[in-house]
Amino acid sequence: MWHKLTTCSKNISLRWQLTVWYVVLMAFTLAVFSTFIYCNFSLSLRHELDTLLFFQGEQILSSVEAENGNLRVEPDLPILPGTYFSLFDATGKIVDTNMPAALAADLPVKNFVVNQPETVKAQNNEWRVLLVAKRGESHARLEIVRSREEIERPLKRLLVLLLITLPLSLVVAAGGGIFLARRALNPIDQIVAKARHISATDLSQRLGLPHSNDEIGRLVTTLDDMLDRLNRAFQRQQQFTADASHELRTPLTVIRSQAETALNKEHTPEEYRQTLRIICKQTEWMGDLVAKLLILARGDSGREQLVLEPVNLADLVEGVTEEFQATAAAKGITLTAHVKDAVSIWGDQTWLTQLLANLVENAIKFTRKGRIDVGLKIKNKWALLWVSDTGVGIPPEHLNHIFERFYRVDKSRSRAEGGFGLGLSICEWVVRSHGGKIKVESQVGRGTTFKVWLPIHAEER
């Protein structure tokens, strides 16, 4: 049963679900409130009737007189209409009454307890009966009775009123619920309509709805922000695909050209060997490009797992600096390591080595002469690595883009020297994967400094 209700509710619009729940809750609230009002009103009327019986009983008993040894009620005593009484002497004999005989017969005094009002059914009616006793030597007792009809009449009127107003209230509540649900969900319909016009190939459109501080406004803001991120990611993906295709087109063209030339006519063995060398070089170039693209793709998808272990950054800096000493010296560059603190971090030895090697290799590539400094120190509970050179520098307009894939400050020079524009992208991924951050500072003609912050291994803090 519950499964059927759940399945059915899934086929109903949210607007009607909200309305139904609103009406159900309103009906429950009104039912509880009406029951409370009815019961409270009933108790109040019964209390008033009992109070009246006590008052009339005390009034009648206070007027009882003894005449010739017999008890009687004062004849001129004002008694409210509908009030019946019977006065009993000590032997239980009725000595005075205004109660019909049939009613008195159905209400024997021995059935009641003094000062405890009771409801009794007699003569096709319900009666409220009270027995009171007179203080003194007479031992007189008075039975006083009033019909419960004076309670039932207002209770019936109240019940009819509740039975009329409750459905009307639910109808009004349903109308109000539909109105409020439509008003509240109308922005959702607008969002749906706007979203349907946003295609996968054009994510530049936005919902264009007011960014208020309510839940809908926050939803609109979140969706617009998400579209911004998707649009940027989509543009990067398009650019990435276009750049990768462009990068692969040149070596493929060279390979095809060399192969066609070799097939068109006879060549000397040396010419064939030269053709094969060119093809092999271009193949290696493409293999290197594909390998770097695979690294970034696996990093983006989270499939490139780091092998975390304690890494001594001082040894790493010394090792990378020593590895590139010969290359730097060949260009007349002084390469120096500056290790100010012995620092260990929790990281991947291979990728951290690749990170520093990429930065040092770039520094050598873009420094004609001068010096390159590779440093390490502790700063504010972070390990700070830096690679500083006296090279050509990077123009300010390029600084915000150098970590983008295939981005080159000087495209022709980078290609001539074998660069893909992926090295710094890989560096940025390695730093981010280690929970760190990388920044660049540069002045044209004066040099560039890359700074890498990495969280220090807990044992070294």
Side-chain angles (χ1 to χ4, degrees):
M1 183 64 180
W2 176 253
H3 176 70
K4 291 182 178 179
L5 290 175
T6 304
T7 304
C8 182
S9 65
K10 292 180 180 179
N11 299 325
I12 302 176
S13 68
L14 182 59
R15 180 180 291 110
W16 283 106
Q17 289 186 47
L18 289 175
T19 301
V20 169
W21 277 110
Y22 179 72
V23 172
V24 169
L25 290 175
M26 180 63 72
F28 177 76
T29 302
L30 289 176
V32 171
F33 179 73
S34 299
T35 302
F36 173 77
I37 291 295
Y38 183 86
C39 294
N40 191 62
F41 188 55
S42 175
L43 290 174
S44 177
L45 290 176
R46 193 177 69 179
H47 178 71
E48 290 181 4
L49 179 57
D50 292 343
T51 301
L52 179 60
L53 289 175
F54 274 107
F55 174 76
Q56 287 273 271
E58 293 296 333
Q59 186 180 31
I60 294 173
L61 282 179
S62 63
S63 68
V64 171
E65 300 175 346
E67 184 177 332
N68 298 325
N70 296 321
L71 301 176
R72 71 181 184 88
V73 178
E74 182 181 342
D76 298 330
L77 180 68
I79 298 177
L80 293 176
T83 298
Y84 300 103
F85 72 89
S86 292
L87 182 62
F88 298 86
D89 60 14
T91 63
K93 177 182 177 182
I94 298 178
V95 294
D96 198 355
T97 184
N98 70 344
M99 192 182 302
L103 179 60
D106 289 340
L107 302 175
V109 69
K110 63 181 180 179
N111 292 344
F112 304 105
V113 181
V114 174
N115 294 333
Q116 291 188 9
E118 297 183 34
T119 299
V120 178
K121 190 171 184 179
Q123 300 296 308
N124 298 323
N125 196 4
E126 288 189 345
W127 303 85
R128 195 68 174 168
V129 181
L130 174 65
L131 183 65
V132 292
K134 183 176 176 60
R135 297 182 182 89
E137 299 179 357
S138 63
H139 301 290
R141 288 181 296 173
L142 178 70
E143 185 182 60
I144 187 166
V145 180
R146 284 189 69 88
S147 174
R148 278 183 52 90
E149 187 176 354
E150 59 186 283
I151 296 179
E152 299 298 333
R153 282 197 301 267
L155 283 177
K156 288 180 180 178
R157 288 196 297 269
L158 175 61
L159 182 61
V160 171
L161 180 63
L162 292 175
L163 291 176
I164 293 175
T165 56
L166 185 60
L168 291 177
S169 299
L170 292 179
V171 172
V172 174
I178 294 174
F179 172 77
L180 293 175
R182 181 181 292 113
R183 183 179 179 86
L185 297 177
N186 186 55
I188 301 294
D189 292 335
Q190 296 180 35
I191 292 173
V192 172
K194 292 276 188 179
R196 285 176 176 170
H197 288 86
I198 300 176
S199 64
T201 56
D202 183 13
L203 296 174
S204 62
Q205 300 184 57
R206 296 296 174 266
L207 298 177
L209 297 174
H211 291 194
S212 56
N213 291 325
D214 58 10
E215 289 79 359
I216 300 298
R218 291 196 293 272
L219 174 62
V220 171
T221 301
T222 302
L223 291 176
D224 280 342
D225 291 343
M226 181 187 69
L227 288 172
D228 284 335
R229 294 193 298 272
L230 288 175
N231 189 37
R232 290 194 297 269
F234 184 68
Q235 289 177 346
R236 287 196 300 268
Q237 186 69 25
Q238 285 184 317
Q239 186 66 39
F240 179 81
T241 303
D243 290 339
S245 301
H246 178 73
E247 294 293 334
L248 290 170
R249 185 183 297 117
T250 300
L252 287 174
T253 301
V254 172
I255 291 173
R256 180 174 181 178
S257 174
Q258 292 293 323
E260 289 177 348
T261 300
L263 292 173
N264 285 338
K265 62 179 181 178
E266 293 291 333
H267 295 275
T268 65
E270 181 59 30
E271 289 176 333
Y272 281 123
R273 281 194 292 271
Q274 179 63 22
T275 298
L276 291 175
R277 280 194 291 268
I278 294 174
I279 292 176
C280 184
K281 182 178 180 180
Q282 295 299 319
T283 303
E284 290 176 356
W285 193 91
M286 286 192 300
D288 192 15
L289 173 61
V290 170
K292 291 185 176 181
L293 290 176
L294 181 61
I295 290 172
L296 292 172
R298 290 173 64 87
D300 290 341
S301 64
R303 289 181 296 169
E304 186 67 38
Q305 299 295 326
L306 300 180
V307 181
L308 298 179
E309 58 183 342
V311 178
N312 189 316
L313 291 182
D315 292 344
L316 187 146
V317 169
E318 295 287 355
V320 171
T321 303
E322 183 178 352
E323 179 183 349
F324 283 93
Q325 282 289 354
T327 305
K331 292 186 66 175
I333 299 172
T334 302
L335 178 60
T336 309
H338 304 272
V339 178
K340 296 184 178 181
D341 299 297
V343 185
S344 291
I345 70 167
W346 194 254
D348 187 303
Q349 176 83 36
T350 301
W351 283 117
L352 290 174
T353 302
Q354 183 68 51
L355 162 68
L356 190 58
N358 282 358
L359 294 178
V360 173
E361 185 178 14
N362 273 355
I364 295 174
K365 184 184 299 181
F366 295 102
T367 301
R368 295 188 181 94
K369 62 179 180 178
R371 61 182 294 110
I372 297 174
D373 297 307
V374 183
L376 170 66
K377 67 178 180 179
I378 296 176
K379 187 174 183 180
N380 298 328
K381 296 184 178 181
W382 290 79
L384 174 58
L385 279 169
W386 73 89
V387 177
S388 180
D389 64 55
T390 58
V392 297
I394 303 172
E397 64 271 17
H398 295 285
L399 290 177
N400 292 331
H401 304 285
I402 60 171
F403 295 109
E404 295 177 4
R405 297 168 188 183
F406 293 109
Y407 191 84
R408 299 186 182 92
V409 176
D410 185 348
K411 295 179 172 58
S412 59
R413 175 172 178 172
S414 296
R415 182 175 292 113
E417 295 182 0
F420 303 115
L422 295 175
L424 290 178
S425 297
I426 293 175
C427 289
E428 192 272 338
W429 169 76
V430 173
V431 173
R432 179 163 40 87
S433 298
H434 283 80
K437 53 188 176 181
I438 182 170
K439 292 186 178 180
V440 60
E441 300 171 356
S442 184
Q443 292 184 7
V444 176
R446 300 189 63 179
T448 302
T449 300
F450 283 89
K451 294 182 179 180
V452 176
W453 282 266
L454 296 170
I456 299 176
H457 183 37
E459 295 179 358
E460 299 292 330
R461 290 190 179 181

